Amino acid sequence: MAAGYTKVPVRFIVFILFFYVLLQPCSSQSDVKVSASPVREIIRNRRQVCVDGTYDHEGRTCCLCAAGQYLKKDCSSSQDDRICDQCESGTYNSYPNSFKSCRPCTSCSHPNANLVVAEPCTIARDTKCRCKEGHYCTSNTGSCQICHPCTVCSTSIKEPCTATNNTVCNEPEGNKTTAIVVSVIVGLIVVVAAAVAVLLWRRKKAAQQPQAPSETTANGNPADVEMQRLIDIQPLLPQIAEQLAWKDVEHLATRSGIPGPAIQSCKLDHPGDSQEQTLQLLRRWVECQGKRAADNLVQNLRESRQIAKAEKVEEILYNKNPTA
C-alpha cells in the first residue's frame, strides 16, 4: 500500500510540469502583444497630433486650426495646446490656418451687379455667386463681380446667351445687300476717277508739246512733216518693238511721265508675252509723244547710250520714210 501510494503523486507532478512547459511560450507571446499595443498607440497618437499641419510661433511649432476655425491663442507647452474657436455666422476660413479672425463672406447683393447666390456661405467656404437670368459675365477667373444684360437680337439668334458669353445674332439680310451695293459703287467711283485723271494728264501733256513749223512736201503741197511721221510710224511699231526690250520702253515711258499703274497694265494685259507687252507700251508712249514720236524715240535711245538700237530704229524709219 505504501509503495503504490508514493507512485501516484510523482506521475501527477510530471504531468503538471509537462503542461506548464508546453503552455509557457504562448503565455510569453500573449504578454508581448499586450505590452506592445500601448507603445504603438502612443506613436500613432504622436504622429496625429497636428492633422492639419503646423506653424511656427516664437521658436515653437504649433498645430494649425482646422478649416472653419480661427486661432484664439498660440501654443505654449505642447504643439496641440493652442486654442481654436469656430468662425461666427457670416464669416469663414476655407483651409487650415493660424489667422486671428475669420474672413467675411462675400455678398452677392451689390447694386447693379446683377448677381444671385449660387451656393451660400459656410464657416469653411465662401459664398458662390452667379449671374441673374438673362445676364452674362466674361471673367476668366470664374468669379464675376458684375454681370451684363444679354443682347436681345432683332433678327434670329446664332448663339444663345450663356453665363459666360453674350448672345450672337445673325446679320439682317438687308445689311448684306447694302454692303454689296456700297462696295460696287465705291469701285465704280475709283475706276471713273482714275480714267478722268489719265485723260486730264494726257491733255496736259499734249498741250505742253511745242508746235512744229509748217513745211512743204516733195510734191509742193504744204504739210506738217512731223504729223506725217506720226502717221507713218504706227505700222512700223511691231518691227521697232522687236529691236527693243521691255526695260528700254519702260525707261522711255517713265521718263515721259506715264503713270506706273498705266505701265504695269500693259504687262498685266499680256502675261507671259514680253514682246506683246513691249509693243503695247510702245504704242502708248507714241500716243503720248504726239507729232515728234519718231524723233524723240531715236533721241532718247541715243541719250541712253543705246546707239546700236537707235541705228536699227533709224534704219526702219528711213527705209519706210525716205523723205523724212
Side-chain angles (χ1 to χ4, degrees):
M1 294 292 292
Y5 177 77
T6 58
K7 290 181 179 178
V8 174
V10 173
R11 292 177 179 176
F12 180 75
I13 292 170
V14 172
F15 180 78
I16 294 300
L17 290 174
F18 174 76
F19 275 97
Y20 176 77
V21 173
L22 184 64
L23 296 175
Q24 185 65 29
C26 295
S27 176
S28 176
Q29 290 178 0
S30 176
D31 292 342
V32 170
K33 288 181 180 180
V34 172
S35 61
S37 180
V39 173
R40 286 198 298 270
E41 186 68 22
I42 291 171
I43 294 173
R44 185 177 65 83
N45 289 338
R46 285 180 179 175
R47 288 177 180 173
Q48 296 180 356
V49 167
C50 299
V51 294
D52 293 314
T54 61
Y55 73 96
D56 293 330
H57 175 69
E58 295 181 356
R60 294 189 300 274
T61 300
C62 303
C63 296
L64 291 172
C65 296
Q69 297 179 345
Y70 69 95
L71 181 65
K72 199 169 184 179
K73 184 179 179 182
D74 296 296
C75 66
S76 56
S77 58
S78 65
Q79 290 181 331
D80 61 342
D81 69 347
R82 82 292 180 244
I83 299 176
C84 300
D85 204 351
Q86 183 171 300
C87 293
E88 298 179 356
S89 177
T91 63
Y92 76 99
N93 275 328
S94 57
Y95 51 87
N97 65 91
S98 59
F99 299 144
K100 298 297 184 179
S101 62
C102 296
R103 300 182 180 183
C105 295
T106 298
S107 173
C108 301
S109 58
H110 297 295
N112 302 320
N114 301 311
L115 295 168
V116 293
V117 176
E119 294 182 14
C121 184
T122 67
I123 60 172
R125 184 191 63 207
D126 191 16
T127 313
K128 290 186 177 181
C129 305
R130 64 174 177 82
C131 293
K132 291 181 179 179
E133 192 70 25
H135 294 76
Y136 74 98
C137 169
T138 56
S139 172
N140 295 326
T141 62
S143 177
C144 294
Q145 303 297 325
I146 297 177
C147 294
H148 309 283
C150 297
T151 299
V152 178
C153 297
S154 58
T155 59
S156 58
I157 297 175
K158 186 176 182 180
E159 293 181 12
C161 186
T162 65
T164 55
N165 291 289
N166 193 14
T167 314
V168 179
C169 306
N170 286 313
E171 292 185 5
E173 292 297 328
N175 289 353
K176 295 181 180 178
T177 304
T178 303
I180 294 173
V181 172
V182 170
S183 299
V184 172
I185 293 174
V186 171
L188 290 174
I189 292 173
V190 172
V191 171
V192 172
V196 171
V198 172
L199 180 60
L200 293 176
W201 174 82
R202 287 181 178 178
R203 289 182 177 179
K204 181 179 179 181
K205 197 71 178 177
Q208 292 175 351
Q209 294 293 335
Q211 296 294 329
S214 178
E215 297 182 5
T216 304
T217 59
N219 56 12
N221 296 324
D224 193 318
V225 176
E226 302 300 335
M227 180 59 70
Q228 184 68 26
R229 282 188 177 180
L230 174 62
I231 295 172
D232 291 340
I233 198 175
Q234 294 290 345
L236 303 176
L237 291 181
Q239 297 179 39
I240 296 173
E242 292 178 359
Q243 305 300 323
L244 303 177
W246 166 262
K247 289 185 177 179
D248 298 330
V249 183
E250 184 182 21
H251 179 68
L252 289 172
T254 303
R255 289 185 60 182
S256 300
I258 296 177
I263 296 174
Q264 291 302 317
S265 68
C266 297
K267 216 170 192 180
L268 296 176
D269 289 343
H270 303 281
D273 190 346
S274 61
Q275 188 65 35
E276 191 62 33
Q277 293 169 358
T278 303
L279 177 58
Q280 183 174 340
L281 183 56
L282 183 59
R283 282 175 177 159
R284 183 165 295 186
W285 179 82
V286 168
E287 291 174 2
C288 294
Q289 292 300 304
K291 301 174 183 180
R292 299 183 60 83
D295 290 342
N296 289 344
L297 177 57
V298 175
Q299 182 180 352
N300 275 280
L301 289 173
R302 290 186 179 279
E303 289 177 355
S304 301
R305 297 184 179 180
Q306 302 284 345
I307 306 301
K309 292 181 180 181
E311 291 176 353
K312 287 285 186 182
V313 171
E314 282 182 329
E315 182 180 345
I316 294 171
L317 290 171
Y318 288 110
N319 283 342
K320 298 294 182 178
N321 296 275
T323 62

